[in-house]
Amino acid sequence: ELVRNGYAMIYTFPPNVKCYKTFLSLQEEARKQKRGLWSLSEQDIELIKGGHKHGQKHTEDRSFLDYLFYKIRRLFG
């Protein structure tokens, strides 16, 4: 469900490759549909990196988890 909804990326390594094709298909579908993290804009990515927004520098450090909560609030809040 995490891959299907765009909140996880696949990572396979032998011998754990049995479901590789299924997970790859789900990831590509999520990517094409811009679900979850695949929906991030360039501005969103800059926020994750702690970059600039509207010409201003962020002075506080942001964790990826902080960003996810921010994104969820934007989507559902």
Side-chain angles (χ1 to χ4, degrees), residues 43 51-58:
Q43 182 180 12
H52 297 43
K53 179 181 179 183
H54 304 296
Q56 298 178 358
K57 270 194 166 185
H58 291 280

Side-chain angles (χ1 to χ4, degrees), residues 48-72:
I48 293 170
K49 291 178 179 178
H52 297 43
K53 179 181 179 183
H54 304 296
Q56 298 178 358
K57 270 194 166 185
H58 291 280
T59 55
E60 62 197 51
D61 290 329
R62 296 180 188 269
S63 72
F64 187 67
L65 186 57
D66 291 333
Y67 176 75
L68 286 179
F69 287 128
Y70 156 80
K71 187 70 173 175
I72 290 168

Side-chain angles (χ1 to χ4, degrees), residues 22-77:
T22 301
F23 286 129
L24 183 60
S25 174
L26 292 170
Q27 180 173 288
E28 288 303 314
E29 179 184 330
R31 192 177 210 171
K32 287 177 186 174
Q33 298 296 319
K34 297 186 184 274
R35 292 186 203 134
L37 298 174
W38 299 111
S39 69
L40 297 176
S41 67
E42 291 296 321
Q43 182 180 12
D44 292 334
I45 293 168
E46 284 301 314
L47 282 172
I48 293 170
K49 291 178 179 178
H52 297 43
K53 179 181 179 183
H54 304 296
Q56 298 178 358
K57 270 194 166 185
H58 291 280
T59 55
E60 62 197 51
D61 290 329
R62 296 180 188 269
S63 72
F64 187 67
L65 186 57
D66 291 333
Y67 176 75
L68 286 179
F69 287 128
Y70 156 80
K71 187 70 173 175
I72 290 168
R73 282 193 305 273
R74 278 189 52 202
L75 290 171
F76 301 106

